[in-house]
Amino acid sequence: MSVPGWPSHRPGQHLDVRLTAEDGYQAQRSYSIASAPEAPLLAITVERIDDGEVSPYLAGEVRVGDRFEVRGPIGGYFVWTAALGGPLFLIAGGSGIAPLMAMLRHRAAAGSHAPALLVYSSRTFADIIYREELNRLAAASDGPRVVHTLTRQQPAGWTGATRRIDRDMLAETGIAASARPRIFVCGPTSLVEQTTPSLLALGHAASLIKTERFGPTGGLR
Amino acid sequence: MSPDQSGMPAAPLDGNAAAGLLREVFVFDATSATVTCGGCGATAHVGSARLYGGSMGAVLRCAGCDTAVLRVVRTPMGLWLDMQGARSLKIGSEATA
């Protein structure tokens, strides 16, 4: 999206999209910003919900040149900038990758050397959002370490993890609590609820763990 | 963040999801502010409270004791802010702990 007058955002912030129908009916939804502040265009990640009111439009019908209202950037809590330093420990489930992608893109664009790890849970190989870009980021010198787990179906020859993110996985692949990483968890409620106690049990400080659940809520705004 | 929604309250989200609504009430980013719960005295970022939302507004509850620390309700007469369950709200410069 090209948003004239957009004040720069910080990675992790979101924006509201408001659509107005010809009869004046309005629907508003909140989306995490997936692009880095350094990128020329603003990007969001929309997961299509087939019986949804807004996502089928955004994911299928929007054409280049269409216009709609956005409000933002919003939120200052679930935010990481290179100036905050690392290590950066990111945990994502499904489309929860979006705000964490903004952080990883920003980390690369800003030339940050902060150690970074992404543990990313997807249902299947095809469901991995930003797979190729994550590979590219990981392959760069000083790139983040990226650990995938595929919980529903795995392609032939898959050697990675096959279960939901749990305490053992975080202990084996994660950044040790002694390094005091800044932790951002974004995904469905179930992932956040399982992950947070595991992180605390591994010794991570609650003040360093920030979570963002998404799921069906009312039209908040 | 939040995919499509029915307008019905469901499982709670994190308080940071209410940032857009709170921006209509506060001139600062309220999710980065620190709230002290009037029920148990615990202190936490508003963004880490439990958020129960619906089309009418938002209820933020203390993650420790479930006290409603902040309620924002949208009515035809305007926005209604109820902070009966909060002892204080600290607006600091620190966006992170």
Side-chain angles (χ1 to χ4, degrees):
Chain A
M1 293 180 283
S2 167
V3 184
W6 178 258
S8 186
H9 61 276
R10 288 177 291 156
Q13 288 189 294
H14 46 105
L15 56 75
D16 289 344
V17 173
R18 179 188 284 165
L19 303 174
T20 306
E22 281 174 15
D23 64 2
Y25 177 77
Q26 290 189 331
Q28 191 162 300
R29 295 294 182 272
S30 195
Y31 294 96
S32 286
I33 299 166
S35 49
E38 293 84 357
L41 293 175
L42 204 58
I44 57 174
T45 305
V46 179
E47 182 174 19
R48 183 194 182 97
I49 309 292
D50 283 334
D51 59 352
E53 196 178 54
V54 172
S55 73
Y57 170 74
L58 288 178
E61 293 178 38
V62 168
R63 296 288 173 264
V64 171
D66 286 353
R67 299 165 71 93
F68 43 82
E69 284 180 80
V70 303
R71 173 174 74 166
I74 293 168
Y77 173 71
F78 192 89
V79 157
W80 181 80
T81 59
L84 289 173
L88 185 59
F89 185 1
L90 309 176
I91 300 168
S95 56
I97 187 68
L100 310 185
M101 199 64 199
M103 294 177 191
L104 289 176
R105 286 167 162 172
H106 164 64
R107 178 184 172 279
S112 165
H113 301 294
L117 165 68
L118 168 68
V119 180
Y120 184 12
S121 176
S122 307
R123 289 184 189 135
T124 70
F125 190 73
D127 288 326
I128 300 175
I129 304 171
Y130 298 121
R131 178 166 45 88
E132 290 178 8
E133 186 175 348
L134 286 170
N135 286 345
R136 280 199 302 276
L137 286 171
S141 67
D142 258 351
R145 194 153 57 90
V146 178
V147 175
H148 289 287
T149 181
L150 300 179
T151 57
R152 189 165 295 178
Q153 191 182 13
Q154 302 81 30
W158 176 255
T159 55
T162 60
R163 61 183 198 274
R164 286 166 177 246
I165 296 170
D166 57 21
R167 182 175 162 176
D168 286 348
M169 193 184 297
L170 295 171
E172 287 160 21
T173 65
I175 298 174
S178 57
R180 296 188 58 76
R182 293 176 184 277
I183 305 175
F184 294 87
V185 186
C186 188
T189 296
S190 57
L191 175 131
V192 174
E193 307 250 303
Q194 285 167 14
T195 305
T196 310
S198 298
L199 290 165
L200 292 170
L202 290 170
H204 295 282
S207 60
L208 294 175
I209 305 171
K210 296 192 171 170
T211 62
E212 181 151 282
R213 285 154 239 247
F214 57 76
T217 55
L220 251 191
R221 293 150 253 263
Chain B
M1 255 210 26
S2 42
D4 282 67
Q5 336 171 306
S6 64
M8 294 298 292
L13 301 182
D14 298 289
N16 36 347
L21 177 61
L22 293 174
R23 216 170 76 153
E24 295 180 26
V25 182
F26 298 100
V27 297
F28 49 88
D29 172 47
T31 57
S32 301
T34 303
V35 64
T36 300
C37 174
C40 69
T43 292
H45 282 116
V46 172
S48 67
R50 293 281 163 273
L51 168 67
Y52 295 81
S55 52
M56 292 288 289
V59 179
L60 286 153
R61 293 184 175 277
C62 171
C65 75
D66 226 31
T67 294
V69 292
L70 199 152
R71 278 184 272 232
V72 183
V73 181
R74 198 189 295 281
T75 75
M77 310 293 287
L79 280 173
W80 185 267
L81 171 68
D82 177 346
M83 292 190 58
Q84 189 176 220
R87 193 174 298 165
S88 64
L89 191 66
K90 172 171 156 274
I91 302 101
S93 54
E94 87 281 44
T96 57

